[in-house]
Amino acid sequence: MSAVRYPSRSRSEVPFEAAAGVLRVMSNSRTPVFCTVHASGRRRYGYWQPYDSVTNRGGCYVALPTPVCDRLYSQGRIALGEPLVDPAKTTYRVWPAHGPVAPVRIPAAPLPAMAVAQVLAA
């Protein structure tokens, strides 16, 4: 029996199902999604999943795939809210865009709140 070889796919090729699943989570008003930009420039998207006693699951932080979220952001499908600036990180609320939104650059290092607001307003 010979091994089956599948065509390789780079990480930048995001399947449609993954993007649809991420947008579904972001569209649910009961699961607020946040983007955390660390001082090193690393970004993480995620939300808190409450505990469900019926399924005995949840009560944990769930990270969303960063390449999928970054692609949605660069396409203008999601938008960032007001920044919450901390010395080690900056946190944004993530919203699904309700129309074509021009994407803006996410700052790599935390900036003063006024500077971040000016960048996002531009």
Side-chain angles (χ1 to χ4, degrees):
M1 193 184 282
S2 64
V4 177
R5 299 199 66 189
Y6 295 100
S8 66
R9 200 167 51 180
S10 73
R11 291 186 73 152
S12 64
E13 297 176 21
V14 178
F16 175 75
E17 297 84 20
V22 168
L23 280 173
R24 189 176 312 113
V25 169
M26 290 180 184
S27 297
N28 185 353
S29 62
R30 294 185 300 175
T31 57
V33 176
F34 295 93
C35 172
T36 303
V37 182
H38 295 274
S40 64
R42 183 176 68 105
R43 289 181 307 280
R44 291 302 299 163
Y45 297 84
Y47 64 97
W48 177 258
Q49 183 178 18
Y51 180 74
D52 184 8
S53 61
V54 175
T55 60
N56 202 22
R57 295 182 60 169
C60 61
Y61 180 77
V62 179
L64 296 171
T66 302
V68 174
C69 295
D70 284 343
R71 173 161 289 164
L72 290 172
Y73 183 71
S74 68
Q75 294 173 349
R77 308 266 321 263
I78 60 176
L80 301 179
E82 293 295 320
L84 177 64
V85 181
D86 186 89
K89 62 187 176 193
T90 303
T91 305
Y92 302 90
R93 173 75 190 267
V94 180
W95 302 95
H98 294 290
V101 175
V104 295
R105 184 178 161 270
I106 300 174
L111 299 172
M114 183 57 79
V116 172
Q118 290 172 348
V119 169
L120 292 176

XYZ file of all heavy atoms in Angstrom, residues 5-40:
277
model
N -0.344 11.226 -0.935
C 0.268 12.542 -0.788
C -0.759 13.600 -1.124
O -1.416 13.538 -2.155
C 1.472 12.683 -1.705
C 2.537 11.645 -1.359
C 3.843 12.019 -1.901
N 4.285 13.216 -1.212
C 5.340 13.901 -1.582
N 6.047 13.542 -2.602
N 5.692 14.988 -0.926
N -0.888 14.551 -0.230
C -1.805 15.657 -0.434
C -1.017 16.876 -0.865
O 0.117 17.070 -0.428
C -2.574 15.968 0.855
C -3.473 14.848 1.272
C -3.104 13.962 2.262
C -4.701 14.669 0.652
C -3.927 12.917 2.641
C -5.536 13.632 1.028
C -5.145 12.759 2.022
O -5.977 11.733 2.379
N -1.592 17.715 -1.702
C -0.863 18.929 -2.091
C -0.644 19.830 -0.875
O -1.535 19.991 -0.060
C -1.782 19.601 -3.121
C -3.128 18.997 -2.917
C -2.902 17.633 -2.315
N 0.554 20.361 -0.766
C 0.847 21.224 0.379
C 0.189 22.582 0.179
O -0.070 23.016 -0.941
C 2.357 21.399 0.550
O 2.868 22.097 -0.548
N -0.053 23.236 1.285
C -0.708 24.528 1.264
C 0.012 25.426 2.256
O 0.280 25.019 3.379
C -2.165 24.345 1.680
C -3.045 25.436 1.282
C -4.487 25.090 1.423
N -4.803 24.567 2.741
C -6.016 24.185 3.100
N -6.991 24.233 2.254
N -6.244 23.724 4.304
N 0.321 26.628 1.833
C 1.011 27.534 2.747
C 0.030 28.045 3.786
O -1.178 27.988 3.609
C 1.639 28.699 1.979
O 0.629 29.571 1.548
N 0.556 28.582 4.883
C -0.297 29.081 5.955
C -1.067 30.320 5.541
O -2.077 30.659 6.125
C 0.539 29.379 7.186
C 1.076 28.125 7.818
C 1.744 28.479 9.081
N 0.716 28.822 10.044
C 0.837 28.683 11.333
N 1.948 28.211 11.820
N -0.127 29.019 12.147
N -0.580 30.999 4.496
C -1.282 32.203 4.061
C -2.564 31.874 3.300
O -3.421 32.722 3.131
C -0.369 33.071 3.202
O -0.036 32.383 2.019
N -2.684 30.647 2.817
C -3.895 30.233 2.123
C -4.909 29.764 3.156
O -4.918 28.620 3.572
C -3.587 29.105 1.148
C -2.633 29.483 0.037
C -2.300 28.299 -0.834
O -3.061 27.327 -0.848
O -1.269 28.352 -1.499
N -5.760 30.661 3.568
C -6.716 30.376 4.624
C -7.984 29.795 4.007
O -8.557 30.398 3.105
C -7.052 31.657 5.415
C -8.075 31.371 6.485
C -5.790 32.240 6.002
N -8.417 28.623 4.475
C -9.656 28.072 3.929
C -10.857 28.944 4.280
O -10.884 29.597 5.316
C -9.783 26.700 4.581
C -8.650 26.544 5.495
C -7.803 27.768 5.447
N -11.831 28.946 3.389
C -13.032 29.750 3.583
C -13.757 29.350 4.859
O -14.291 30.202 5.561
C -13.954 29.592 2.376
C -15.266 30.289 2.548
C -15.345 31.665 2.442
C -16.415 29.583 2.851
C -16.551 32.323 2.606
C -17.627 30.229 3.023
C -17.688 31.598 2.899
N -13.785 28.066 5.197
C -14.504 27.604 6.381
C -13.939 28.212 7.652
O -14.678 28.544 8.576
C -14.468 26.075 6.487
C -15.146 25.357 5.346
C -14.250 25.189 4.127
O -13.015 25.271 4.281
O -14.782 25.016 3.033
N -12.619 28.369 7.716
C -11.994 28.950 8.910
C -12.406 30.407 9.057
O -12.739 30.862 10.158
C -10.475 28.823 8.834
N -12.397 31.146 7.968
C -12.778 32.563 8.028
C -14.251 32.703 8.393
O -14.621 33.575 9.180
C -12.497 33.244 6.692
N -15.080 31.833 7.860
C -16.514 31.887 8.169
C -16.754 31.570 9.642
O -17.592 32.192 10.289
C -17.286 30.918 7.280
N -16.014 30.601 10.188
C -16.156 30.253 11.607
C -15.731 31.388 12.520
O -16.381 31.669 13.532
N -14.643 32.059 12.168
C -14.160 33.186 12.975
C -15.173 34.327 12.920
O -15.498 34.931 13.950
C -12.764 33.643 12.491
C -12.381 34.975 13.103
C -11.723 32.590 12.817
N -15.701 34.627 11.739
C -16.705 35.688 11.626
C -17.977 35.332 12.385
O -18.631 36.202 12.960
C -17.032 35.960 10.163
C -16.027 36.829 9.423
C -16.365 36.898 7.943
C -15.968 38.210 10.020
N -18.321 34.057 12.429
C -19.508 33.618 13.173
C -19.321 33.888 14.666
O -20.230 34.366 15.346
C -19.777 32.134 12.932
C -21.094 31.649 13.481
C -21.386 30.190 13.140
N -21.161 29.881 11.742
C -20.199 29.058 11.293
N -19.386 28.470 12.129
N -20.067 28.813 10.009
N -18.138 33.605 15.184
C -17.853 33.859 16.604
C -17.888 35.354 16.883
O -18.465 35.800 17.873
C -16.480 33.264 17.003
C -16.056 33.737 18.377
C -16.527 31.751 16.968
N -17.300 36.148 15.996
C -17.249 37.604 16.201
C -18.628 38.247 16.085
O -18.873 39.293 16.669
C -16.293 38.239 15.204
C -14.857 37.922 15.466
S -13.816 38.712 14.250
C -12.229 38.076 14.727
N -19.521 37.641 15.321
C -20.857 38.196 15.136
C -21.772 37.928 16.313
O -22.794 38.597 16.471
C -21.489 37.625 13.870
O -20.738 37.995 12.748
N -21.417 36.968 17.158
C -22.232 36.649 18.324
C -21.986 37.712 19.398
O -20.876 37.860 19.898
C -21.885 35.262 18.850
C -22.778 34.817 19.980
O -23.601 35.578 20.486
N -22.621 33.568 20.371
N -23.031 38.436 19.769
C -22.860 39.522 20.742
C -22.547 39.012 22.143
O -22.088 39.772 22.993
C -24.120 40.386 20.776
O -25.224 39.607 21.197
N -22.784 37.724 22.409
C -22.500 37.172 23.741
C -21.052 36.750 23.910
O -20.641 36.391 25.015
C -23.419 35.986 24.021
C -24.875 36.412 24.120
C -25.754 35.282 24.512
N -25.677 34.198 23.529
C -26.267 33.028 23.666
N -26.968 32.770 24.736
N -26.153 32.115 22.734
N -20.263 36.760 22.847
C -18.851 36.413 22.934
C -18.005 37.574 22.422
O -17.656 37.621 21.250
C -18.522 35.140 22.119
O -18.928 35.358 20.769
C -19.177 33.917 22.671
N -17.674 38.536 23.282
C -16.833 39.644 22.826
C -15.423 39.150 22.502
O -14.791 38.455 23.291
C -16.830 40.611 24.006
C -17.222 39.795 25.180
C -18.053 38.661 24.674
N -14.943 39.492 21.324
C -13.616 39.081 20.854
C -12.675 40.268 20.992
O -13.053 41.408 20.723
C -13.687 38.601 19.388
C -12.306 38.257 18.863
C -14.613 37.402 19.274
N -11.442 39.987 21.427
C -10.444 41.029 21.637
C -9.172 40.699 20.873
O -8.834 39.531 20.697
C -10.115 41.174 23.123
C -11.288 41.647 23.934
C -12.129 40.750 24.555
C -11.556 42.998 24.053
C -13.219 41.184 25.295
C -12.642 43.447 24.783
C -13.472 42.536 25.410
N -8.467 41.752 20.452
C -7.149 41.624 19.830
C -6.153 42.238 20.804
O -6.280 43.407 21.173
C -7.102 42.354 18.492
S -5.450 42.437 17.777
N -5.176 41.457 21.223
C -4.139 41.934 22.134
C -2.838 42.071 21.362
O -2.372 41.100 20.763
C -3.950 40.959 23.310
O -5.206 40.805 23.973
C -2.916 41.470 24.287
N -2.273 43.271 21.350
C -0.997 43.531 20.692
C 0.039 43.701 21.795
O -0.019 44.659 22.566
C -1.063 44.789 19.804
C 0.268 45.008 19.099
C -2.196 44.677 18.798
N 0.963 42.768 21.900
C 1.998 42.805 22.934
C 3.115 43.769 22.538
O 3.222 44.160 21.373
C 2.555 41.403 23.167
C 1.534 40.463 23.724
N 1.267 40.354 25.065
C 0.670 39.619 23.111
C 0.308 39.468 25.264
N -0.077 39.005 24.088
N 3.939 44.139 23.499
C 5.028 45.088 23.263
C 5.998 44.570 22.200
O 6.601 45.350 21.476
C 5.779 45.369 24.557
N 6.116 43.257 22.068
C 7.009 42.671 21.068
C 6.415 42.725 19.667
O 7.092 42.402 18.703
C 7.314 41.215 21.435
O 6.117 40.448 21.386
